[in-house]
Amino acid sequence: MNHPIAEIFSQGEEVITGQVADTNAAWLSQKLVQMGFVISRHTAVGDKLQDLSDLLTEISNRADFCICTGGLGPTVDDLTAEAVSQAFACPLQLDSVALAQIERYFIARNREMADTNRKQACFPRGAIRIDNAWGTAPGFAIQHKRCWFVFVPGVPTEMRHMFIEQIQVELERRFVLQVDKLVTIKSIGIGESDLQQKLNEFSLPERVQLSFRAAPDDVQTKLLFSADTADSEINSCVNQLVKKIGDEVFAVEESNKPSIDLVSVIAQLMAEKQYSLSVLETVTQGLISAKCIGQEWLQDSSYKQSIEPYIAQLGITRQDDLAQVAIAIAKQLKLTLTADLILVQLYLGDKEQLQAKEKSIVLYNVLQTPHGIYQNTIAVVGPIKRKQNQAAIRALDLLRRYLQKHAFNPIK
Amino acid sequence: MNHPIAEIFSQGEEVITGQVADTNAAWLSQKLVQMGFVISRHTAVGDKLQDLSDLLTEISNRADFCICTGGLGPTVDDLTAEAVSQAFACPLQLDSVALAQIERYFIARNREMADTNRKQACFPRGAIRIDNAWGTAPGFAIQHKRCWFVFVPGVPTEMRHMFIEQIQVELERRFVLQVDKLVTIKSIGIGESDLQQKLNEFSLPERVQLSFRAAPDDVQTKLLFSADTADSEINSCVNQLVKKIGDEVFAVEESNKPSIDLVSVIAQLMAEKQYSLSVLETVTQGLISAKCIGQEWLQDSSYKQSIEPYIAQLGITRQDDLAQVAIAIAKQLKLTLTADLILVQLYLGDKEQLQAKEKSIVLYNVLQTPHGIYQNTIAVVGPIKRKQNQAAIRALDLLRRYLQKHAFNPIK
């Protein structure tokens, strides 16, 4: 059975002039793909009535479903309802329930409704209203030719609520949807091309689509299984790939379950073991700690621009093995800090190499634990903010590996 | 004289399925608008040859310039050159210079070029090649009917380099462009609607377009002046608005000059005065420090989950005036820390209010300086990451105001 075809269309100057990237289209696409639609096109236009009208006519001939964001506000630039009216030859009509809702919205905020807000209660004849509990403008839906159109505000929170609370269930009613199952294997410490290389030798069944994505905080292997694949087959396939990739895998995420990131994996393990953590940062300059926002197991952290005081205190000269310097610092901190785990992120190079985006820098991460000392040595490259982010993620990943008992053998 | 019409078109599964928002389209739109183009449409499609080909034909009839990103890679999904060949009826031809460039790319990395990479050196007859010093795939450009088309890789860094280094100058040669002048007034501590309210009474000349944008780290007032506006008129207009908005303005950015953010403003002033800074963070949990990445005036920072030790040391009970608690802590730190300035970001409420996105929390920021103590009290609301970011920005803004001598009167 074929998947129904969907298009997404955004109206508004801030998208067309590039002030904001079209995050509404990305969010809606993910939702619709997960539900079983095939997305054929995204389009964004500005405030020109004829452009809007022409586009609606085009879409009505080639898609089964179209969701349009933006253009429902009270100003002269908001033209969506008028464009629909023109394209589908159905006059605008005042919806008294919508008008009452808009009036109530303003009364509740001790504000007066302006005359311009009235137009937000006018919909094309034949449309059904979609209530908006999160803002002024209701949305509406209408069928034209082959396509069921839904029109919602461009404000992301309003749009997402209306989609999840009302539109999604209506789509499930109107369309026969086969839900493909998406599984995302998340890994850290392996590049996208090495990952592809490792998995090249796997011959996956035809019903499985494999793709890769390098995100800022992890590298993802995505497996899309067609709707009729048995869970046992999915699990078997995923497990084989996880085993093949190895310790770099920190999570396996299913599309119909909550998203998982590195900090959430660490948080669950820290809670199970009831451990607390202290952090000393250098090049990450507070980012390791910031990424753990709201996590109560992070007791304290500090950033030092110069670690000379520590080195002097320990009688070490910089010519020594720098990984050993990091270990000596961690042991010293153990004497004064009370947390169960101490993470030290250390950079001992010069500032010029840190700032130069084409130069890579070497970092030392050391984790002092009840089971001994764990460490890793990594290189990061790129603009300073990228170096900072990579450094923070790789330091946290050392903690993850220890907690998942995949860490290197402890050294004394 | 009319502005030429441009369209932007992206090809690739990761955009159409929503895995990534189309940041290429946003970046290109900003550049093109600044150069003097009018953007009429953004489109994104997947890997279907017919969709691509149809779209190219449509665009050739309605736009003067079109830039297309994606689809130039070596895999079976990369169909851009083939779609152009089909749509514009010009066969693909091997470009031996391009082939040599691609071979050299692989040799330099000790890798073998695969057969599939050969197709990246095949362009439609009549196209000119656009070299890519940053990746494997060269781009190409071709005129068809009304429209000059440029095809570049979808990888953002490659695309941006090729645009800035080669395409921009070619556009200036091919089109008569009137450069509208964009000035962005950046402010912190005032909401978008209050900003609009303040500026409502201004009657701006017709040639000036006013718009607003709420970004994560600031609120922006954007003024777009048509190309023939004299600099003196621009300056006069901008100065009036800055004066009207007030101290919340931290920077005025012109579109043809480097971008300015809060930390860069602070950095310039810290360098002028040769000050150093220490930071104590609570709810921001390292983010204030992380935002100052690479800044040498930030000497050290620390995060404490519990500030009970400080409070006990000072003999203060929590029932006291909490702003005074923050001041007492800052004074105490002055005794042990060596930096010229000490910034204390303090949250004394409970964790539940911090986590609950609909609940707002009250924060105290105190800055200990050679001129006395400065402070502000602010409220932030939203999901925890938004609270964290707002808290960090507002604490840094206290530092900015002191440095720009706009701070409140010092208190002892």
Side-chain angles (χ1 to χ4, degrees), chain A residues 15-16 18 29-30 41-44 222 283 285 289-290 292-294 296 298-303 305 351 388, chain B residues 15-16 18-19 29-30 41-44 283 285 289-290 292-294 296 298-301 303 305 351 388:
Chain A
V15 172
I16 204 72
S29 294
Q30 285 202 30
R41 198 185 284 212
H42 294 179
T43 313
K222 289 181 174 285
V283 79
Q285 211 169 309
S289 179
C292 302
I293 179 65
E296 295 189 30
L298 178 61
Q299 206 164 277
D300 51 64
S301 78
S302 61
Y303 158 65
Q305 199 188 126
K351 306 221 180 320
Q388 180 192 29
Chain B
V15 172
I16 205 73
Q19 288 179 50
S29 294
Q30 284 202 31
R41 198 184 284 211
H42 294 180
T43 313
V283 79
Q285 211 169 309
S289 179
C292 301
I293 179 66
E296 294 188 32
L298 178 60
Q299 206 165 279
D300 51 62
S301 77
Y303 158 66
Q305 198 188 125
K351 304 215 179 323
Q388 180 192 28

Side-chain angles (χ1 to χ4, degrees), chain B residues 241-390:
Chain B
L241 260 65
V242 169
K243 199 168 169 189
K244 180 64 184 167
I245 299 170
D247 292 350
E248 283 85 1
V249 176
F250 68 90
V252 175
E253 193 182 271
E254 293 168 66
S255 58
N256 57 341
K257 301 215 174 85
S259 186
I260 307 170
D261 66 1
L262 181 63
V263 174
S264 66
V265 170
I266 290 170
Q268 188 170 343
L269 295 161
M270 291 294 274
E272 279 171 25
K273 297 175 200 290
Q274 303 221 321
Y275 281 157
S276 57
L277 175 72
S278 285
V279 185
L280 172 64
E281 307 193 38
T282 51
V283 79
T284 45
Q285 211 169 309
L287 192 59
I288 294 174
S289 179
K291 282 185 183 285
C292 301
I293 179 66
Q295 299 295 345
E296 294 188 32
W297 38 263
L298 178 60
Q299 206 165 279
D300 51 62
S301 77
S302 60
Y303 158 66
K304 303 276 178 232
Q305 198 188 125
S306 167
I307 45 106
E308 298 292 339
Y310 284 111
I311 291 181
Q313 200 175 359
L314 299 168
I316 295 170
T317 60
R318 288 177 92 96
Q319 282 76 22
D320 283 6
D321 175 357
L322 301 174
Q324 292 305 320
V325 172
I327 290 164
I329 290 174
K331 283 183 169 168
Q332 184 71 14
L333 288 172
K334 185 74 192 148
L335 303 176
T336 53
L337 296 173
T338 58
D340 301 299
L341 307 175
I342 299 172
L343 178 63
V344 177
Q345 189 282 306
L346 211 60
Y347 171 58
L348 298 167
D350 61 58
K351 304 215 179 323
E352 190 247 307
Q353 261 189 294
L354 175 60
Q355 298 276 2
K357 68 181 177 191
E358 68 287 354
K359 293 210 166 118
S360 77
I361 58 172
V362 176
L363 305 170
Y364 307 89
N365 298 310
V366 174
L367 184 68
Q368 171 87 256
T369 82
H371 299 94
I373 294 178
Y374 293 74
Q375 63 133 340
N376 68 10
T377 302
I378 59 151
V380 295
V381 72
I384 194 173
K385 285 183 177 176
R386 184 180 188 278
K387 284 183 169 107
Q388 180 192 28
N389 192 57
Q390 286 295 303

Side-chain angles (χ1 to χ4, degrees), chain A residues 367-400:
Chain A
L367 183 68
Q368 171 86 255
T369 81
H371 298 95
I373 293 178
Y374 293 73
Q375 62 132 341
N376 66 12
T377 302
I378 60 150
V380 295
V381 73
I384 193 174
K385 283 183 178 175
R386 185 181 186 277
K387 283 185 171 108
Q388 180 192 29
N389 192 58
Q390 286 295 305
I393 288 293
R394 297 299 296 274
L396 285 167
D397 194 50
L398 177 62
L399 174 59
R400 184 272 302 180

